[in-house]
Amino acid sequence: MPTECSADLFGFARVEGRAVVAGFDGGTMTSDGGGLLLGATDRAIGLIDRFARCFSDSRSKELVEHTVATLVGQRVFGIALGYEDLIDHDALRHDPIMAVLVGKLAARRRNCAPVAGKSTLNRLELGKQEPTPYHKIGHDPQAIEAVFVDLFLDAHRHPPAQIILDLDATDDPLHGDQEGRFFHGYYDCYCYLPLYIFCGRHLLAAKLRRANIDASAGAVEEVARIVTQIRARWPRVRILLRADAGFARDALMAWCELNGVAYLFGLARNRRLVGAIATELAQAQQQSQATGKPARRFKDFLWSTLDSWSRERRVIAKAEWTAGAANPRFVVTSLDRAEHEARHLYEQIYCARGNMENRIKECQLDLFADRTSAKTMRANQLRLWFASMAYVLLCALRRIALQHTQFAAAAGGTIRLRLLKIGALVRISVRRIKIAMTSGCPYQGEFALAHSRLTAAAR
């Protein structure tokens, strides 16, 4: 029978004749000892300070306990550590690692924690663009959007010759009566339809949108803003837009053609397009039936819609026969034939856009970008930006500190579990704060290397 030695201890089954007891008497401890790497990453790239400068604070300074920088940092660090909801911060406000990360070990007032609880953070999220008597912390959406691109540009020592911007829309399911909710037939739920723009793993835009729109709605404005900001720093960089068929719209393609931006978009098939590759499909079918394996042919031709396109454009067709059926696919591009032949363009360049799906999943599943349960779209957009900044922070940790390690290509959730969620005993004295992490951590080598690299980067 399990026994209890005292009222404060919990008894468990004996092991090798010894009693096993547990109690909440370990002192000041944390389960997020590895979160110190997030603070070091922020010092290397300056994310929290830049993000905080996008907010305005009209509160009386003499009455402010938690500054905007503290609130913003607390929210971003919390999401990166796996705490997606504001209610989590009622416990986190007493966590010593969170206090260290935001740089505030003690409160000025009695009966107040070093960092903020859910009620104060809620005022930050519900703030309006212009402060009001009841919402005194506001934010500038345009400034926040610019920070994402600035962080991307600063991540490169030298301008690359070419960059590929990937665009995609995804569903953000809603389960309440949020502003702007609509039922989307394709996703079969009430949702938002956010627009994401990535360059590799770098996140450049996360725009919350209603779901009663075309997937490409607002893409021209977002791309124009980002391209302008990039070219201001990198005037000679070549830019290629890549997206699925939902973005093959004349307005976006015409803008690219007028502004010297290349594009490669999927193209929805129809009877006219399939008829144009009837010969190639027949050849693929014949080869597949003869070999018992899938077969494909490619065709490169000029094509235009009956009335929605303003001009003819280059189309690449993949005439594939697989599993006993035709599987035709099409892309439209501004890239020249002399530079990219049809098969290479489709298989090596267009198909690589599938990696963006993993980036979106990382944002939504590991960084909780789908926690949009606030009443207004404005507040939900800010929540999306907080999650997106946490994603950028983890990406910077991976890029700067984890190259050539087993975590060089790991997802954010894996990095959090292996390197950030480390149990530690915290001892605070007059001269130092000692974070004594568990000796049994199996990733001490990777942690030490990450610390060394981040320290060098911060210098």
Side-chain angles (χ1 to χ4, degrees):
M1 288 288 291
T3 59
E4 294 187 10
C5 297
S6 75
D8 297 326
L9 295 178
F10 307 95
F12 295 91
R14 301 176 73 86
V15 175
E16 295 184 350
R18 302 182 185 185
V20 178
V21 295
F24 292 101
D25 55 356
T28 304
M29 305 183 75
T30 180
S31 60
D32 299 313
L36 295 170
L37 293 178
L38 294 177
T41 303
D42 177 59
R43 284 189 290 276
I45 66 174
L47 183 149
I48 299 300
D49 283 343
R50 298 191 207 193
F51 193 17
R53 286 197 294 268
C54 300
F55 291 79
S56 59
D57 188 356
S58 61
R59 296 176 297 174
S60 300
K61 292 184 179 181
E62 66 276 8
L63 301 177
V64 171
E65 175 63 45
H66 307 295
T67 66
V68 167
T70 299
L71 300 176
V72 169
Q74 187 180 344
R75 192 72 173 103
V76 173
F77 289 132
I79 293 173
L81 288 169
Y83 304 103
E84 69 269 30
D85 293 322
L86 291 181
I87 197 171
D88 296 325
H89 288 269
D90 266 11
L92 282 177
R93 61 182 175 160
H94 301 290
D95 187 274
I97 287 295
M98 186 59 68
V100 169
L101 288 176
V102 301
K104 186 176 179 223
L105 296 178
R108 294 187 305 167
R109 303 175 185 175
R110 291 186 303 172
N111 302 322
C112 189
V115 293
K118 66 178 187 299
S119 298
T120 305
L121 289 169
N122 192 51
R123 297 188 189 101
L124 174 71
E125 291 198 351
L126 296 183
K128 300 182 178 180
Q129 187 168 347
E130 295 295 333
T132 70
Y134 301 101
H135 301 92
K136 296 191 175 185
I137 301 176
H139 63 274
D140 182 348
Q142 289 73 36
I144 294 174
E145 291 171 341
V147 168
F148 285 100
V149 184
D150 282 337
L151 289 167
F152 161 70
L153 294 170
D154 291 344
H156 297 75
R157 290 186 178 181
H158 307 287
Q162 174 177 293
I163 59 174
I164 300 176
L165 303 184
D166 286 307
L167 294 78
D168 205 359
T170 189
D171 64 313
D172 177 3
L174 301 176
H175 306 287
D177 192 26
Q178 289 94 324
E179 177 188 9
R181 70 191 287 267
F182 282 94
F183 186 85
H184 197 290
Y186 178 81
Y187 295 110
D188 194 29
C189 66
Y190 286 93
C191 62
Y192 289 135
L193 195 69
L195 171 67
Y196 282 93
I197 301 179
F198 286 86
C199 182
R201 285 185 177 270
H202 296 274
L203 176 59
L204 277 70
K207 187 75 170 181
L208 197 66
R209 305 176 301 173
R210 300 170 186 262
N212 62 335
I213 57 171
D214 183 74
S216 68
V220 172
E221 293 78 9
E222 288 297 300
V223 169
R225 173 183 62 80
I226 291 171
V227 168
T228 299
Q229 193 171 347
I230 290 174
R231 283 181 170 167
R233 292 265 296 270
W234 299 343
R236 297 182 179 180
V237 68
R238 186 185 186 192
I239 300 174
L240 170 65
L241 294 191
R242 185 170 58 185
D244 62 19
F247 292 84
R249 302 293 185 262
D250 188 69
L252 184 55
M253 291 186 287
W255 183 91
C256 290
E257 291 157 356
L258 287 172
N259 291 274
V261 175
Y263 60 83
L264 176 60
F265 299 144
L267 185 61
R269 66 187 180 190
N270 56 43
R271 279 186 285 182
R272 283 184 64 217
L273 280 169
V274 174
I277 59 169
T279 301
E280 288 73 18
L281 277 173
Q283 293 172 349
Q285 179 183 7
Q286 185 178 8
Q287 179 183 347
S288 178
Q289 291 173 345
T291 62
K293 299 178 181 179
R296 58 176 58 176
R297 295 283 190 275
F298 287 88
K299 184 175 181 179
D300 191 332
F301 58 99
L302 292 177
W303 192 79
S304 178
T305 61
L306 293 176
D307 54 13
S308 59
W309 285 8
S310 57
R311 51 167 290 185
E312 281 189 332
R313 294 183 170 97
R314 182 189 178 197
V315 169
I316 307 299
K318 180 191 74 170
E320 184 177 49
W321 195 273
T322 181
N327 182 39
R329 291 288 187 271
F330 304 89
V331 297
V332 57
T333 183
S334 64
L335 296 173
D336 191 79
R337 287 187 176 90
E339 184 178 7
H340 297 283
E341 59 90 19
R343 179 184 288 270
H344 177 266
L345 188 67
Y346 184 88
E347 294 182 342
Q348 302 301 318
I349 301 180
Y350 178 72
C351 288
R353 66 162 296 278
N355 287 327
M356 184 186 182
E357 301 289 343
N358 295 326
R359 307 289 82 77
I360 293 177
K361 289 178 182 177
E362 196 172 355
C363 286
Q364 291 196 319
L365 301 181
D366 292 342
L367 281 310
F368 318 109
D370 58 352
R371 301 301 198 271
T372 48
S373 57
K375 179 66 176 178
T376 65
M377 282 196 71
R378 181 186 62 255
N380 285 324
Q381 173 66 82
L382 188 55
R383 286 190 173 190
L384 176 58
W385 281 329
F386 278 125
S388 298
M389 285 295 180
Y391 169 86
V392 172
L393 187 64
L394 275 178
C395 278
L397 170 60
R398 178 171 48 209
R399 182 185 73 253
I400 298 171
L402 301 178
Q403 293 185 51
H404 310 299
T405 71
Q406 61 177 306
F407 303 117
T414 300
I415 294 172
R416 176 194 299 142
L417 181 64
R418 305 293 172 82
L419 286 179
L420 306 184
K421 290 294 183 180
I422 301 176
L425 177 65
V426 182
R427 301 187 183 98
I428 301 176
S429 65
V430 175
R431 294 185 177 182
R432 70 173 186 172
I433 304 167
K434 173 66 182 298
I435 313 296
M437 293 181 286
T438 173
S439 302
C441 176
Y443 308 107
Q444 297 179 39
E446 288 84 353
F447 188 98
L449 181 61
H451 171 264
S452 175
R453 289 173 172 175
L454 290 168
T455 301
R459 291 171 182 164

